[in-house]
Amino acid sequence: MRYLSTRGHPDRKGFCDILLEGLAPDGGLYLPEHYPRVDPATLGRWRATYQTQGYAALAYEVLSLYIDDIPSADLRDLCDRTYTEAVFGTRAIVPLKQLEQPEVAGQPTPLYLEALSNGPTLAFKDMAMQLLGHLFEYELARRGEQLNILGATSGDTGSAAEYAMRGKKGVRVFMTSPDGRMSPFQQAQMFSLMDDNIHNIAIEGVFDDCQDIVKAVSNDLAFKRQYKIGTVNSINWARLLAQVVYYFAGYFQATSADTEQVSFAVPSGNFGNVCAGHVARMMGLPISRLVVATNENDVLDEFFRTGVYRVRGSADTHETSSPSMDISKASNFERFVFDLLGRDGARVRALFGEGLSREGRFDLQADPLFVQAGPRYGFASGRSSHADRLATIRDTHARLGLMIDTHTADGLKVAREQLQPGVPMIVLETALPIKFAATLVEALGLEPERPPAFIGIEALPKRVTHMAADAMAVKAYIQRHCA
Ligand SMILES: *Cc1c(COP(=O)(O)O)cnc(C)c1O
């Protein structure tokens, strides 16, 4: 399998080359040259594989269609070591729970929650990041190289990256975060890590200051090369590919025959998670709707309703109670637009390159291809507000005795608006409520339950370096710790 850029660059690359890269040289995102089709016989075989051999074996089947530069036995071993009951809490890894079965136009229509948040940091990002940790360690050892991951986080991504990379050979993590602005639980999760290869840097400032520092350091190409600076951001194809697997696993749990259809509702920010659903659907998984649920930062909902993609400035980006979806532009969205426009790289380059930076928007409303986003690709969308979130959390707790996190609540709210008679709807649970306890307390007057491993973490010793918002200081710190 070869990979190409969404902006038309002529180069083609193998999986392991794009694994360690960020953007393509022309600023585009990598995608496979084609999506392997999963025919009904294969789908049946994968169902049996998942049921009898488990999630890791299913992951191997999916990944091996896209990765041909890692020997099969090694790839299988990487999957086996990633998706274990010890790391993800259950044998199913992503167990499905039926919430209820409302009647839609007289037909019982089951509504499920797919648990993706029982990994080490209690958010779905562990599903992909844990695999990335094993893949990085494997590929760096094979090349005899090292990588220093520099990142900025406001919470979920940074901790998922640190828990995936801790103790891995050849990798160091330098993670900046805005000092004092993460929740006490999130700070405790990250700062209590004592591994030598994990460095927490608390920056005096806000998240944008952290991102500016990462950009400044990455733009110093000599420094970047000398210190082997890399990233683990959400545009990495390997992360997206890992997420494709749980769409299949969710489907197999919700259905008993390979002709049945299901829909998925996905709490969305950067469009990474739901883009994996798009890939699964392109492969032939019988998905009816892919429901994109946004919060008040409704860049994506606006596009699917109107055909207008309008990025926001930082002043127009709302700080919400589902903060991991507070984005001003959706960094993975270009991948879907590439497919929507018939894989026309020149057109994508014009829209996302010059066009977007000049005008901050583009408009596909009049394009006949935009009209196909729903009927041909299954996309539907909706938006959820703080009041919707609280109401959904209260209703789910009162009627079903279940606490859900704020992002998952956005997904559930929009899922209910998009039910089709008799088509099971699977809502992806993207975090556990304990991560966003303050809003749960606001909604219910109750503290969410805490998994045993996290009891008392706020009292653990912390390992963090405080610094001014100064890229030079961060560079000096990296230099000192790369000796
Ligand atoms: C990252 C994240 C999201 C958004 O996922 P995207 O792939 O960026 O669309 C939603 N919920 C939670 C809890 C997250 O951490």
Side-chain angles (χ1 to χ4, degrees):
M1 176 65 80
R2 312 299 288 168
Y3 290 85
L4 46 67
S5 163
T6 51
R7 297 196 186 170
H9 196 282
D11 277 4
R12 299 291 180 267
K13 292 193 172 159
F15 175 84
C16 288
D17 289 323
I18 64 165
L19 172 67
L20 301 171
E21 256 183 63
L23 294 172
D26 57 358
L29 278 66
Y30 285 111
L31 273 178
E33 275 188 318
H34 68 276
Y35 299 111
R37 287 290 296 184
V38 177
D39 59 25
T42 308
L43 201 59
R45 194 164 53 76
W46 285 7
R47 179 188 291 277
T49 300
Y50 178 56
Q51 285 166 352
T52 59
Q53 300 171 52
Y55 191 91
L58 175 65
Y60 168 76
E61 293 294 338
V62 177
L63 266 54
S64 62
L65 297 180
Y66 291 94
I67 304 175
D68 52 17
D69 46 4
I70 296 178
S72 305
D74 292 355
L75 186 59
R76 199 178 277 277
D77 179 58
L78 289 167
C79 293
D80 285 344
R81 284 193 286 135
T82 302
Y83 298 109
T84 65
E85 188 169 345
V87 174
F88 289 97
T90 59
R91 203 189 93 78
I93 306 293
V94 291
L96 210 61
K97 180 186 294 176
Q98 184 168 323
L99 293 176
E100 56 187 329
Q101 186 158 278
E103 296 231 329
V104 180
Q107 289 197 52
T109 303
L111 193 56
Y112 296 97
L113 206 59
E114 184 172 356
L116 304 179
S117 308
N118 296 303
T121 72
L122 310 184
F124 85 100
K125 292 194 170 67
D126 290 329
M127 293 301 306
M129 207 71 93
Q130 286 288 316
L131 179 72
L132 208 64
H134 287 287
L135 283 169
F136 273 24
E137 185 177 51
Y138 175 87
E139 187 57 19
L140 289 168
R142 197 157 72 156
R143 298 179 178 210
E145 287 177 11
Q146 303 234 326
L147 187 68
N148 292 305
I149 293 167
L150 174 63
T153 189
S154 54
D156 291 344
T157 306
S159 59
E162 291 189 354
Y163 279 76
M165 302 298 164
R166 62 187 296 202
K168 295 284 191 300
K169 291 188 227 33
V171 192
R172 292 188 195 88
V173 178
F174 297 90
M175 191 56 66
T176 61
S177 60
D179 202 350
R181 290 187 188 245
M182 291 192 294
S183 75
F185 185 89
Q186 287 175 318
Q187 291 184 41
Q189 263 189 322
M190 286 178 56
F191 300 168
S192 63
L193 288 180
M194 294 293 150
D195 306 76
D196 287 337
N197 70 329
I198 303 296
H199 300 271
N200 288 301
I201 303 175
I203 298 290
E204 269 170 45
V206 295
F207 176 62
D208 281 339
D209 296 314
C210 300
Q211 271 196 313
D212 288 345
I213 289 173
V214 171
K215 272 190 212 137
V217 175
S218 303
N219 287 340
D220 180 343
L221 296 181
F223 185 89
K224 190 177 170 194
R225 203 170 315 116
Q226 186 178 357
Y227 290 97
K228 313 252 179 286
I229 302 294
T231 60
V232 286
N233 49 26
S234 76
I235 52 122
N236 187 301
W237 165 256
R239 279 182 65 179
L240 212 129
L241 178 57
Q243 295 174 338
V244 171
V245 180
Y246 54 68
Y247 284 85
F248 283 89
Y251 175 79
F252 294 139
Q253 293 177 83
T255 60
S256 50
D258 301 323
T259 47
E260 291 173 51
Q261 291 223 313
V262 304
S263 292
F264 286 91
V266 188
S268 295
N270 273 320
F271 204 77
N273 199 354
V274 75
C275 193
H278 165 67
V279 172
R281 197 174 182 280
M282 296 299 281
M283 292 171 72
L285 187 66
I287 297 174
S288 176
R289 284 190 179 158
L290 283 168
V291 180
V292 178
T294 75
N295 64 16
E296 290 88 336
N297 298 292
D298 57 357
V299 180
L300 290 168
D301 178 43
E302 180 174 85
F303 174 78
F304 284 108
R305 278 187 296 104
T306 65
V308 175
Y309 181 65
R310 184 170 57 89
V311 302
R312 317 289 202 249
S314 44
D316 299 321
T317 306
H318 304 274
E319 266 188 51
T320 76
S321 47
S322 43
S324 302
M325 291 153 52
D326 292 351
I327 53 98
S328 50
K329 62 180 188 356
S331 52
N332 265 293
F333 184 54
E334 183 170 332
R335 287 193 160 109
F336 169 65
V337 173
F338 181 66
D339 285 341
L340 180 70
L341 300 181
R343 301 203 134 200
D344 181 342
R347 209 168 155 210
V348 170
R349 186 171 66 243
L351 289 179
F352 280 89
E354 310 97 62
L356 211 53
S357 43
R358 198 176 48 240
E359 287 158 34
R361 72 198 288 283
F362 60 74
D363 184 350
L364 296 181
Q365 193 164 17
D367 194 306
L369 292 171
F370 168 68
V371 181
Q372 300 183 347
R376 174 136 184 234
Y377 295 95
F379 279 100
S381 73
R383 173 186 193 277
S384 166
S385 67
H386 182 69
D388 294 325
R389 221 163 283 139
L390 295 183
T392 306
I393 290 169
R394 285 190 190 115
D395 170 71
T396 307
H397 187 250
R399 286 195 305 114
L400 309 170
L402 185 73
M403 282 198 200
I404 56 171
D405 112 280
T406 52
H407 309 76
T408 308
D410 291 332
L412 182 54
K413 184 260 179 187
V414 177
R416 287 212 172 91
E417 299 164 352
Q418 296 288 346
L419 295 175
Q420 294 165 286
V423 180
M425 172 68 82
I426 301 174
V427 179
L428 298 187
E429 171 211 65
T430 55
L432 291 195
I434 185 67
K435 288 200 100 167
F436 303 96
T439 307
L440 270 286
V441 171
E442 181 184 346
L444 303 172
L446 291 171
E447 274 284 332
E449 111 180 27
R450 194 179 268 243
F454 293 88
I455 292 169
I457 58 166
E458 287 90 340
L460 292 173
K462 293 189 170 59
R463 193 161 160 271
V464 54
T465 303
H466 299 268
M467 240 178 250
D470 174 6
M472 291 304 288
V474 172
K475 280 191 202 173
Y477 181 91
I478 293 173
Q479 277 169 326
R480 274 203 306 284
H481 290 87
C482 287

